[in-house]
């Protein structure tokens, strides 16, 4: 009993009202302990906020300040010119060229990749022998770094003596100008991204597929749905939130693509192809800032790209919310009814209590890992 | 929530649940849900495996031959005998060992810092109550979607100002903390530590930090391992920033790209370099591939 009164109560709720009977005078150790309780939560999060503010947010905000100036790498900050850098960039064909290349490579890499990843996840989502082995095997490309991938693929896509053109020619086909034409170079760069990331995304989608309660599959099978029907009517709708998350993170990473186009043909006169065939926006930014030394314009490019990325993210988010709200109304009630019926028919004792809508997919951290990936 | 976790654990780990209930299992068999897949499935899986492994194998084959094999009409399938010669050429051309050591230092320091600060902040967000907690957490989540890479210009100017360019410090500093890490640790710790455990430690007279140290940290260990693994991978593969601030004292990725940027490119040497640079991660993959897989999958379903 005495220990109970001597120690201060475990107070992890500094906001809670204190009992009025608190003695007016606290000993030093009590006051210290109270300070400990109040200050510790802030102390623990402080390193993150301070460092993130310094190296993450401040540079981003300061980029905007730089973009409003006529700022050269050598002469330093010049005149305040308002939004003039934005005007120049928006009327610069090279900026639009870089944007077109970025979007083209992004679409060529994300669309086939998501389709392939769903397909691979569906293959892995079976009652396989040596599951772990097959899961690991789709992840092999992920351990090859983007620089190594770019080097390997840029050799394979060489116009002369490249692996791909050799094979094409041995079938009597014409060699493709992978490094000097627009669409072939975009395909080649997209193939690097696809090769490295498809298996990774397949595993994320596989996890979402495995979280679909087996009962739903059973009841559908009882109703006579074959495996294809079940895939399209159960699996695909259930993994949609995860797919949307994969798409959003792929967008954030894909629009900042740099390494692959940078190293695709380092001998070319311009950054990103002899005639900028595959100069992406981050590559254009790099060229403007560190080769041409125009920090003002480069910062304007950075902010334009920032706005585009945020806009894409919001668009994805809104579209996915729209789809979800329209669909969930019809499908889930029907599914719930069938499931209840099915459960009533089968043994009631064994089932883990699950509801049809509890397929967990609100936020996917692993997918976020992918966010910083394609730099 | 509890059912969610259960589903995840059982289905992600193995197929054990499927066998746990004989009558159900029979029923499932009859429905054709749990049937063992046929040859087509394994054929596709083998094709996927080959597609994933072949580019790496091909690099090794070319990297162990001389340049002429690239002219062959059909790609060579077996390695030649020149791998060590090519390795020697790589070592002559770039400071490979220095770059390897730099990468190890950079990735290790970043990983240690991200894991420690994320666990600390994640624990605070998950288990301690304080004014402004919800608002600050929303801020962390919002910054997840912010492409901080676009702030390279002022960051570069800062590094130049401090005279840090060309040092590993400049490479390390911008990624000492990540919003993702805080978010990830918070999501993990919020379920895994019972509040009673923290209260018990406090009753026993532990101060806040020793409660964190003796209760929070041990509970966080599995998530710390996963976060560490992925942070290490990200730091190891980073290219843009190290290339910008420290080309004269390169990390492995930068050194590898310098190998390729020479005026005359001997692809068998460059590819030997690519193979050499891949070996460390390949070793990591063999040792911790299982954890990588379950990390990706566990993270994906955690909500």
């Amino acid at each position: 009993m005495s220990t109970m009164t001597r120690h201060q109560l475990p107070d992890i709720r500094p906001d809670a009202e204190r009992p009025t009977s608190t003695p007016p005078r606290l000993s030093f150790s009590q006051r210290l302990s109270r300070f400990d309780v109040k200050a510790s939560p802030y102390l623990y999060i402080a390193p993150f906020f301070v460092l993130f503010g310094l190296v993450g947010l401040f540079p981003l905000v300061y980029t905007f300040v730089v973009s409003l100036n006529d700022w050269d790498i050598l002469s330093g900050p010049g005149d305040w010119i308002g939004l003039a850098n934005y005007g120049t960039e928006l009327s610069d064909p090279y900026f639009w060229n870089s944007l077109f290349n970025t979007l083209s490579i992004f679409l060529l890499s994300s669309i086939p990749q998501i389709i392939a990843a769903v397909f691979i996840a569906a293959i892995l989502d079976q009652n396989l022998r040596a599951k772990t082995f097959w899961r690991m095997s789709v992840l092999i490309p992920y351990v090859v770094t983007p620089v190594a991938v770019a080097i390997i693929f840029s050799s394979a896509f060489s116009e002369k003596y490249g692996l791909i053109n050799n094979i094409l020619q041995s079938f009597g086909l014409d060699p493709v100008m992978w490094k000097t034409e627009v669409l072939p170079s975009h395909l080649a760069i997209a193939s690097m991204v696809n090769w490295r990331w498809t298996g990774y995304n397949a595993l994320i989608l596989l996890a979402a597929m495995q979280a679909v309660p087996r009962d739903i599959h059973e009841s559908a099978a009882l109703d006579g749905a074959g495996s294809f029907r079940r895939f399209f009517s159960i699996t695909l709708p259930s993994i949609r939130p995860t797919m949307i998350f994969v798409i959003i993170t792929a967008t954030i990473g894909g629009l900042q693509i740099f390494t692959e186009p940078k190293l695709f043909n380092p001998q070319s006169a311009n950054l990103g192809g002899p005639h900028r065939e595959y100069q992406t926006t981050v590559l254009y930014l790099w060229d403007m800032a560190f080769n041409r030394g125009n920090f003002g314009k480069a910062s304007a490019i950075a902010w334009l790209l920032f706005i585009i990325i945020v806009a894409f993210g919001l668009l994805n988010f809104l579209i996915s919310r729209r789809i979800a709200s329209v669909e969930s109304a019809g499908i889930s009630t029907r599914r719930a009814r069938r499931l209840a019926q099915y459960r009533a028919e089968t043994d009631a004792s064994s089932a883990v209590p699950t509801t049809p809508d509890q397929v967990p997919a609100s936020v996917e951290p692993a997918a976020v890992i992918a966010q910083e990936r394609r730099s | 929530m509890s059912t969610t976790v259960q589903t995840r654990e059982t289905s992600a780990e193995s197929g054990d649940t499927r066998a746990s209930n004989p009558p159900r299992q029979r029923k499932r068999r009859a429905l054709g849900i749990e049937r063992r897949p046929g040859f087509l499935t394994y054929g596709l899986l083998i094709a996927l495996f080959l597609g994933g492994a072949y580019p790496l194998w091909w690099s090794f084959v070319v990297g162990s031959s001389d340049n002429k094999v690239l002219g062959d009409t059909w790609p060579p399938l077996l390695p030649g005998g020149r791998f060590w010669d090519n390795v020697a050429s790589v070592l002559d051309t770039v400071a490979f060992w220095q770059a390897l050591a730099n990468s190890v230092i950079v990735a290790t320091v970043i990983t240690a810092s991200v894991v420690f600060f994320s666990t600390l902040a994640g624990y605070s967000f998950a288990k301690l109550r304080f004014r402004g907690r919800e608002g600050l957490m929303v801020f962390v989540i919002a910054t997840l979607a912010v492409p901080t890479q676009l702030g390279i210009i002022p960051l570069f100017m800062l590094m130049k100002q401090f005279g840090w360019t060309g040092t590993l410090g400049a490479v390390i500093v911008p990624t000492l903390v990540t919003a993702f890490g805080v978010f990830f640790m918070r999501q993990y710790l919020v379920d895994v530590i019972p509040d009673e455990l923290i209260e018990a430690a406090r009753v026993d007279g532990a101060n806040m930090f020793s409660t964190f140290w003796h209760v929070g940290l041990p509970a966080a260990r599995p998530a710390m391992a996963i976060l560490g693994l992925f942070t290490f991978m990200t730091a190891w593969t980073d290219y843009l920033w190290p290339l910008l601030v420290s080309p004269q004292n390169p990390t492995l990725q930068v050194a590898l790209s310098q190998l390729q940027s020479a005026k005359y490119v001997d692809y068998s040497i460059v590819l030997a370099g690519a193979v050499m640079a891949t070996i460390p991660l390949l070793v990591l993959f063999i040792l911790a591939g299982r954890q990588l897989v379950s990390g990706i999958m566990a993270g994906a379903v955690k909500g």
Side-chain angles (χ1 to χ4, degrees), chain A residues 86-104:
Chain A
Y86 292 87
T88 330
E89 279 314 312
L90 286 174
S91 56
D92 189 333
Y94 288 149
F95 174 73
W96 292 105
N97 173 57
S98 79
L99 212 55
F100 165 77
N101 291 341
T102 306
L103 288 178
S104 166

Side-chain angles (χ1 to χ4, degrees), chain B residues 93-94 239 243 246-248 250 253-262:
Chain B
T93 318
V94 292
Y239 176 61
L243 175 70
S246 188
Q248 58 277 65
Q253 305 307 314
V254 176
L256 187 58
S257 74
Q258 287 166 350
L259 200 60
Q260 191 208 18
S261 310

